[in-house]
Amino acid sequence: MSAHAYGLEAKYELIKILRLPAFLIPAIGFPLMFYVLFGLVLTGGGRGATQASSYLLATYGAFGVIGISLFALGVGVATERGQGWLAVKRASPMPVSAYFLGKYAMSVVLGMVLIALLALLGVVFGHVHLTAQHWAAWVIVEVLGGIPFCAMGLAIGYMAGPNSAPAVVNAIYLPMAFLSGLFVPASMLPKFLQGVAVIFPPYHLGQLALLASGVLPPDGAWVHAAALFGFGVLFSAFAVVAYRRDEGKTYG
């Protein structure tokens, strides 16, 4: 029964998001548009263009899965809190963890769709050539790397109001992505910003994606993985505290 509830919750979360073009089009479309513009159109031709396409394939993949995680959990949870839907969920016999895992599963599925579309663009138009091992490693890193950001989105969803959540997510997401070197390599940023990049979680996901795809040599992968894991644990703790506070307000 419990496993069935988890499966149904994940299924209906995905169906619900597919019926929300206002979320789906920006979440999938913006990373694809940026990659086409900066990774394909503006790179010109030749070997350097292929290298740039490969580099931006990894970093825009990270940018995309982070956005899906933050908006799906952050804005989605805040909106449903404001609508009173979470109170209904708590009062139902469904395990409350099924609600959260359903959103996590939906984020992973959308991340896989985005990564597949980016890979198709990279191969067909960017002439990106990776070994089967590098393709597999890149997909795994990108898809699983979005999960710690689900925890961040969940924390935002419980700390921000339904009207302010989109602005809060954008105010955190876009500057953090830029300062982490997802739009342009961190080495091209001003000197005083280069040292700042390492404190932001998207930097570590971007570096892992570049390492996994073979664009960068596989040095320091465990450091970046440990940083992402610690970030996920930290924001999971924030989300638990915020959830309990919200539950107390609802029923206290």
Side-chain angles (χ1 to χ4, degrees):
M1 178 64 180
S2 179
H4 183 62
Y6 282 87
L8 284 177
E9 190 67 21
K11 173 184 174 181
Y12 290 125
E13 278 292 334
L14 187 59
I15 292 174
K16 179 180 69 177
I17 213 69
L18 291 176
R19 293 176 176 174
L20 293 174
F23 168 81
L24 197 62
I25 293 174
I28 301 292
F30 282 171
L32 295 177
M33 179 184 69
F34 289 147
Y35 180 65
V36 169
L37 180 60
F38 298 107
L40 301 178
V41 175
L42 297 182
T43 54
R47 178 176 175 78
T50 300
Q51 291 175 336
S53 296
S54 300
Y55 186 99
L56 292 175
L57 179 68
T59 58
Y60 277 124
F63 172 75
V65 298
I66 291 169
I68 289 171
S69 299
L70 290 181
F71 280 98
L73 274 294
V75 178
V77 170
T79 300
E80 290 170 3
R81 278 177 59 228
Q83 295 170 341
W85 186 237
L86 292 189
V88 175
K89 291 281 190 179
R90 292 193 191 108
S92 73
M94 181 197 75
V96 68
S97 57
Y99 171 76
F100 301 121
L101 289 179
K103 288 193 175 296
Y104 274 59
M106 176 266 294
S107 297
V108 168
V109 170
L110 289 185
M112 292 172 65
V113 171
L114 171 63
I115 293 305
L117 292 174
L118 279 172
L120 182 63
L121 287 173
V123 170
V124 175
F125 300 105
H127 308 291
V128 175
H129 299 290
L130 304 181
T131 66
Q133 181 180 359
H134 283 147
W135 277 120
W138 174 70
V139 170
I140 292 171
V141 164
E142 295 282 27
V143 173
L144 297 185
I147 294 177
F149 295 91
C150 289
M152 184 179 186
L154 189 57
I156 294 171
Y158 272 104
M159 292 178 180
N163 295 324
S164 62
V168 171
V169 169
N170 276 314
I172 294 173
Y173 169 48
L174 295 177
M176 190 169 60
F178 175 77
L179 293 172
S180 298
L182 299 187
F183 294 146
V184 296
S187 59
M188 295 177 64
L189 296 174
K191 287 289 185 182
F192 71 96
L193 291 179
Q194 292 181 21
V196 175
V198 297
I199 70 174
F200 294 114
Y203 169 80
H204 298 285
L205 178 55
Q207 292 299 299
L208 279 176
L210 291 166
L211 296 174
S213 59
V215 175
L216 295 179
D219 298 325
W222 289 108
V223 174
H224 298 301
L228 274 181
F229 178 79
F231 164 75
V233 170
L234 177 64
F235 273 92
S236 293
F238 287 160
V240 169
V241 170
Y243 167 78
R244 288 177 177 171
R245 184 186 65 177
D246 184 75
E247 190 176 41
K249 287 180 180 179
T250 304
Y251 296 106

